[in-house]
Amino acid sequence: MRSIGRKGLAAWTAAFAVTVMLTGCSGKSGGNDSNAGNAGAGSPSAADSGGSPSASASGSASASAGDSGASDASKLAPYKITWYVPGAAAQKDQALVNEEVSKYLKDKINASFDLEVIDWGSWDDKMNLKFASSEPFDLMYTANWNGFAAKISQGNIIDISDLIDKYAPDAKEVIDPRLLEGSMVNGKHYSLPVNKEIASQWGVLLRKDLVDKYQIDISAIKTPEDLEPIFDTIKQNEPGVTPFYLNKDISILNIYNTNTFAHFDGGAGTLMKGTTDYKLVNAYDTPEIKGGYNLMHKWYQKGYINKDAATLQDLSGGLKAGKAFAYPEQLKPGKDAEVSTATGQQWVQVELTPPIIGTGDTQGSMVAISRTSKDPARAMMFLNLLYTDKYLVNLIAFGIEGKHYVKVDDNTIDFPPGVTAQTSGYNLNQAWLFGNQFNDYLWKNEDPQKWEKFKDFNSKAQMDPLLGFVFDPTNVKTEVAAITSAGKEFSSGLGSGTLDPEVYLPKYIDKLKAAGIDKVIAEEQKQVDAWRQTQQQ
Amino acid sequence: MTFGRKVAKNRYLLLMMMPGAIYLLINNYFPMFGTVIAFKSVNYSVGILRSPWVGFDNFKFLFRTSDAWTITRNTLLYNALFIVVTPIIAVTFAILLNEVRNRLAARFYQSIMFLPYFLSAVVVGYLGYSLLSTEFGFINTNLLKPLGADAIAWYSEPKYWPFILPIVYIWKNIGYSTVIYLAAVIGIDNEYYEAALMDGASKWRQAISITLPQIRPIIIILGLMAVGHILNADFGLFYQVPLDAGALYPTTNVIDTYVYRALLTLGDIGMSSAAGLYQSAVGFVLVLTVNLVVRKFSKESALF
């Protein structure tokens, strides 16, 4: 059984590689030399090489509909829109919901609908296989941290700038301009961002019962250091509760580095505070970097941090069991309520950084059109509806009214009697995957002001100096691979305070240098300079 | 005999060989076309054949850093240890099991030994964690503490892992090898042992002079096959069992885990193919070499 998954995968990838070669050739022989992004020309020829008669019919039909600029449903040939998103698990009633959406779309754009949820664990593998085997589908979730740049450079998702203007002008109106701009790459749109909160803010969540018990004044907590006396109290008086609970991926460094640098990237270039010339530096060459690590190590030695932090994978088990007093978290308005529902403990949130809009936020949840889509135009018509049609987005996000939710009032929903989050046949709980969140219903336990607070949060946010810039690692792949590996070796140990920064930070720095971080930064600098040129135009 | 008559004569044997041959062809030979990926910068939109050639660029990341030495050393040493130790222990167990006269008991022991082989590496990782966890682990709380010793932070001390990993590997895999050797031991003609008994040979003498020489070809073949995989480390063992703890990399990082971690965010199939090709090429050369050596000493035991 050992590593059969990986070996099996390698075998499949290689087997599919043969298929790709064949399809790659046939695509060429179909005369499809144009960038698939020019979908007006791209979709019919893509359909030709697909070979099935119905597919080519729909391709040309929609292209002609596109030419007339109208989306008269009766003129469009029937088409099935397939959409892949990641999630906790496939939903039992997915087929019912898809059928309901199909019924609704029939009159609008004469399309049927197939949403498929792929579990997070196999999401990357499955999507890579779909691309490797050129499986036809239309839409997929993508994000800055989920290979967005790689998918563009490998040609797996297409340039949709023209399609947006042609088929989704209403959606374009709705989306926050900063979000839309921040999701662009090289001046082109490869995706539509989900309209939601656009900034990230870091802070800590504290257990409400203990905050009340020790009468902690959370408004006095301004910096990570302010937490120290509080942790001390918890350590003294609450045996069995870890004052600051961490796993291998999460640390106070997010807070510390956000406040210390104008733009922080441990694996590439960092911008110092107050930069005007956009000169990228290696953050690990600066004296500032030590502060965060030293603080963590001090806390670890004082016993504030759980001993297994450097190897712990899952945080939620400890949170649910009441073993934690505080932990760092990415915050947005109402995050504490969200976590309280998820963990069964009551939490309060303390913001420790300003909200900042970075490329990671504007590209945090997007939908892109696959190279293998047989009718990108129709997919875009669907997206236009998704961003503007309140009924549609809520149907996809929350399921069928009366079966998966009931309305408490106009904009508030609850589970139907006898149904819970666990027994519901459609409880994806990831409304941030779909279109325009400001059109979403709110659950009964959510703040009725949530969307107003989101808008307020968005408007207050500061911009990261590199907002909109995406680093393309193609020319320095070898170095990036080595840096990633070095990061894996040291970041958990140093970030959780388990390792002594006096000893291990110099080792980490040496390893980053040997891995070629200076070369990566030089390459990034080149790209940043080029990017700034296009920005100033 | 002409080729056609040979085929006609052996048609049933050939027919029986078909499923296996087809399986090998589809799963092991066709995908070999994919080796070209290792020399290309893959761009899906133009197809693999039209993607640009990049020579040996994809291989560079394997040898780029100081880690190259660590991962190669770890992979080779651990696998060499496994190749040597596995047959010694497995053959010992096979001979012992063969001596158990109560068949029911023998089956029971055999199953117990075989069981860990079917456990997923993730489960094994957590079994290990329940023993080694710094705060709650069995060894720290129930063994070291009562003895008055300090708790050991197993997951941040690389020096213990060259012992822990082989123990886990043997525990997990020994049942499988034992079954293979047991089958070979059972297959030995009983007349040898009867004759030996007449001559007054002890059990020990029987094992040394009859059993071992009889199963030597099996040991050599299994050894040769293992040598072919000497650069392919057991990913589950080296990734899951140390819980991917960064502090342990000096003694737990092997080629497979390095490739996985390095390419996790890049997802570049050119570079991962390069790593696979490198491992296979070295394995291929080693198998040929070792086979050549074996043939020198004992022609009939060699693979080819």
Side-chain angles (χ1 to χ4, degrees):
Chain A
M1 287 302 288
R2 43 194 171 155
S3 76
I4 195 157
R6 267 169 44 82
K7 278 182 187 159
L9 180 67
W12 278 108
T13 317
F16 277 122
V18 181
T19 328
V20 176
M21 284 188 247
L22 300 176
T23 48
C25 296
S26 72
K28 271 290 180 196
S29 63
N32 183 7
D33 268 323
S34 69
N35 185 338
N38 305 326
S43 68
S45 66
D48 286 343
S49 61
S52 99
S54 71
S56 75
S58 78
S60 47
S62 79
S64 61
D67 291 338
S68 71
S71 54
D72 183 358
S74 60
K75 281 192 192 150
L76 295 165
Y79 183 71
K80 186 166 95 174
I81 293 167
T82 309
W83 188 1
Y84 292 115
V85 294
Q91 299 295 303
K92 202 169 80 214
D93 289 348
Q94 187 70 58
L96 290 177
V97 174
N98 286 348
E99 201 177 304
E100 201 66 24
V101 178
S102 299
K103 259 191 249 166
Y104 185 70
L105 290 181
K106 177 117 185 49
D107 296 336
K108 303 266 180 192
I109 55 172
N110 199 18
S112 58
F113 181 73
D114 183 20
L115 177 73
E116 276 186 47
V117 180
I118 296 173
D119 69 281
W120 280 109
S122 49
W123 165 257
D124 289 335
D125 291 344
K126 283 196 175 165
M127 291 319 289
N128 279 337
L129 286 184
K130 284 180 202 303
F131 284 125
S133 63
S134 285
E135 181 188 313
F137 68 95
D138 303 288
L139 300 170
M140 72 175 293
Y141 166 83
T142 185
N144 173 274
W145 57 271
N146 199 235
F148 183 50
K151 287 189 177 75
I152 294 171
S153 69
Q154 290 170 345
N156 280 330
I157 55 180
I158 62 174
D159 173 7
I160 55 174
S161 314
D162 298 339
L163 285 174
I164 296 175
D165 290 334
K166 205 161 179 184
Y167 299 106
D170 310 328
K172 200 176 175 181
E173 279 298 295
V174 171
I175 301 169
D176 189 310
R178 288 176 296 178
L179 202 52
L180 204 59
E181 201 170 305
S183 69
M184 287 170 91
V185 175
N186 299 330
K188 293 185 187 118
H189 289 285
Y190 289 90
S191 67
L192 278 181
V194 173
N195 207 20
K196 58 185 192 75
E197 87 278 3
I198 56 172
S200 63
Q201 179 171 36
W202 284 89
V204 291
L205 288 185
L206 309 176
R207 270 254 304 275
K208 190 161 189 318
D209 55 341
L210 294 176
V211 168
D212 293 345
K213 185 172 167 190
Y214 295 102
Q215 297 171 351
I216 297 163
D217 175 16
I218 59 167
S219 64
I221 306 172
K222 301 285 182 221
T223 66
E225 285 83 356
D226 293 340
L227 289 162
E228 241 175 86
I230 304 169
F231 288 166
D232 212 46
T233 313
I234 300 295
K235 173 90 185 148
Q236 305 295 331
N237 300 311
E238 296 285 332
V241 175
T242 307
F244 200 47
Y245 197 65
L246 302 176
N247 73 359
K248 62 191 299 180
D249 300 317
I250 202 161
S251 164
I252 198 103
L253 293 173
N254 292 317
I255 299 168
Y256 185 84
N257 290 334
T258 307
N259 288 334
T260 309
F261 301 100
H263 171 89
F264 177 78
D265 186 345
T270 293
L271 289 175
M272 303 304 287
K273 272 247 161 16
T275 178
T276 47
D277 57 353
Y278 289 75
K279 170 104 183 59
L280 292 166
V281 296
N282 179 0
Y284 291 96
D285 274 342
T286 68
E288 285 89 340
I289 194 76
K290 291 207 187 77
Y293 289 117
N294 287 340
L295 184 65
M296 287 314 280
H297 189 56
K298 186 168 117 195
W299 286 4
Y300 183 81
Q301 284 183 317
K302 284 194 172 179
Y304 298 160
I305 295 168
N306 46 317
K307 290 266 181 295
D308 58 355
T311 52
L312 187 69
Q313 313 252 3
D314 175 46
L315 206 63
S316 64
L319 301 183
K320 283 179 189 162
K323 284 204 289 193
F325 165 68
Y327 78 99
E329 177 69 276
Q330 186 172 353
L331 300 176
K332 58 186 177 186
K335 183 72 190 179
D336 45 3
E338 222 171 77
V339 177
S340 300
T341 316
T343 57
Q345 302 272 358
Q346 295 302 310
W347 301 85
V348 287
Q349 68 187 45
V350 179
E351 291 92 1
L352 292 174
T353 73
I356 288 175
I357 312 175
T359 307
D361 308 299
T362 53
Q363 301 182 355
S365 176
M366 305 182 289
V367 56
I369 296 183
S370 163
R371 153 180 73 82
T372 60
S373 171
K374 296 219 186 297
D375 192 350
R378 197 79 61 93
M380 188 54 76
M381 290 179 211
F382 164 74
L383 289 178
N384 193 36
L385 279 176
L386 186 73
Y387 279 85
T388 51
D389 190 314
K390 193 168 165 116
Y391 172 77
L392 183 64
V393 75
N394 281 303
L395 178 59
I396 295 172
F398 302 114
I400 301 163
E401 186 176 354
K403 185 168 174 67
H404 302 120
Y405 67 87
V406 288
K407 274 194 174 173
V408 180
D409 62 46
D410 230 17
N411 213 30
T412 315
I413 57 171
D414 197 4
F415 288 113
V419 177
T420 66
Q422 281 76 32
T423 62
S424 171
Y426 194 81
N427 181 30
L428 205 50
N429 208 7
Q430 295 185 151
W432 47 265
L433 286 174
F434 307 113
N436 185 2
Q437 259 207 301
F438 295 100
N439 269 345
D440 284 358
Y441 297 142
L442 289 165
W443 290 100
K444 217 175 111 190
N445 65 348
E446 281 182 303
D447 185 347
Q449 303 300 312
K450 183 170 172 182
W451 301 135
E452 283 72 28
K453 285 190 178 165
F454 264 46
K455 280 178 186 154
D456 187 43
F457 179 73
N458 284 354
S459 65
K460 272 198 305 215
Q462 306 171 4
M463 301 230 219
D464 183 302
L466 290 186
L467 172 62
F469 170 74
V470 180
F471 179 45
D472 174 9
T474 311
N475 293 333
V476 285
K477 277 196 291 195
T478 305
E479 287 75 17
V480 169
I483 290 168
T484 313
S485 170
K488 285 261 166 195
E489 180 168 353
F490 290 100
S491 64
S492 297
L494 284 168
S496 62
T498 321
L499 297 178
D500 182 356
E502 291 297 322
V503 183
Y504 286 92
L505 197 55
K507 283 190 188 176
Y508 185 23
I509 295 170
D510 285 348
K511 205 146 202 181
L512 286 173
K513 292 240 192 255
I517 191 162
D518 294 330
K519 193 175 164 193
V520 173
I521 292 174
E523 170 72 21
E524 190 181 6
Q525 185 74 61
K526 221 164 60 190
Q527 294 183 22
V528 166
D529 293 343
W531 169 77
R532 286 185 66 212
Q533 292 277 319
T534 64
Q535 291 298 103
Q536 280 155 6
Q537 279 162 15
Chain B
M1 212 170 0
T2 63
F3 179 71
R5 287 193 54 197
K6 265 191 191 164
V7 170
K9 185 162 171 268
N10 294 319
R11 59 184 180 279
Y12 294 113
L13 289 177
L14 285 170
L15 206 67
M16 281 164 72
M17 199 191 83
M18 285 290 272
I22 292 173
Y23 170 85
L24 268 182
L25 212 60
I26 294 177
N27 263 318
N28 296 29
Y29 281 87
F30 287 164
M32 277 192 202
F33 291 111
T35 5
V36 294
I37 296 172
F39 304 97
K40 293 221 166 202
S41 170
V42 174
N43 183 339
Y44 290 104
S45 61
V46 294
I48 281 168
L49 281 188
R50 284 167 198 278
S51 293
W53 293 97
V54 292
F56 284 90
D57 272 7
N58 285 334
F59 291 82
K60 278 188 189 154
F61 83 106
L62 281 172
F63 310 103
R64 171 103 177 88
T65 62
S66 55
D67 288 332
W69 159 243
T70 314
I71 57 175
T72 312
R73 179 201 63 195
N74 286 348
T75 313
L76 283 176
L77 285 186
Y78 278 119
N79 275 338
L81 182 72
F82 296 161
I83 290 172
V84 172
V85 171
T86 309
I88 296 176
I89 300 184
V91 168
T92 312
F93 275 121
I95 293 172
L96 291 178
L97 275 176
N98 191 42
E99 295 298 329
V100 178
R101 286 295 140 219
N102 180 344
R103 288 327 291 165
L104 205 67
R107 292 254 169 85
F108 177 73
Y109 298 140
Q110 197 183 322
S111 306
I112 289 288
M113 285 174 67
F114 213 164
L115 188 70
Y117 183 75
F118 293 104
L119 291 182
S120 131
V122 179
V123 176
V124 175
Y126 280 98
L127 285 176
Y129 184 64
S130 67
L131 289 175
L132 300 175
S133 158
T134 312
E135 282 170 288
F136 315 106
F138 179 83
I139 293 184
N140 276 347
T141 51
N142 292 359
L143 293 181
L144 295 179
K145 219 181 190 177
L147 291 174
D150 283 336
I152 295 174
W154 297 99
Y155 290 97
S156 41
E157 291 282 357
K159 63 179 180 223
Y160 300 113
W161 287 84
F163 303 97
I164 298 172
L165 286 172
I167 291 171
V168 175
Y169 177 85
I170 298 292
W171 171 77
K172 185 160 160 31
N173 291 292
I174 206 66
Y176 180 78
S177 308
T178 303
V179 167
I180 295 179
Y181 289 119
L182 185 59
V185 171
I186 289 171
I188 299 170
D189 197 331
N190 240 336
E191 284 181 18
Y192 292 112
Y193 295 105
E194 281 163 16
L197 218 57
M198 297 273 216
D199 294 340
S202 65
K203 283 281 177 203
W204 174 250
R205 190 64 1 231
Q206 287 176 30
I208 296 294
S209 302
I210 301 172
T211 316
L212 279 185
Q214 287 285 323
I215 62 171
R216 192 180 66 176
I218 301 274
I219 298 177
I220 291 176
I221 287 176
L222 288 181
L224 270 174
M225 308 243 257
V227 166
H229 290 281
I230 198 154
L231 279 191
N232 297 59
D234 182 339
F235 180 78
L237 177 73
F238 292 98
Y239 187 80
Q240 304 289 0
V241 177
L243 299 181
D244 190 22
L248 302 180
Y249 286 2
T251 56
T252 62
N253 209 1
V254 290
I255 294 177
D256 293 71
T257 50
Y258 177 78
V259 169
Y260 177 76
R261 290 181 188 118
L263 301 184
L264 194 61
T265 43
L266 276 177
D268 189 286
I269 66 167
M271 287 157 90
S272 43
S273 304
L277 183 61
Y278 167 63
Q279 291 175 314
S280 306
V282 173
F284 183 64
V285 171
L286 277 177
V287 169
L288 287 183
T289 322
V290 177
N291 189 63
L292 215 72
V293 174
V294 170
R295 206 161 59 177
K296 263 226 150 71
F297 292 102
S298 133
K299 208 164 178 198
E300 63 278 15
S301 304
L303 267 181
F304 39 82

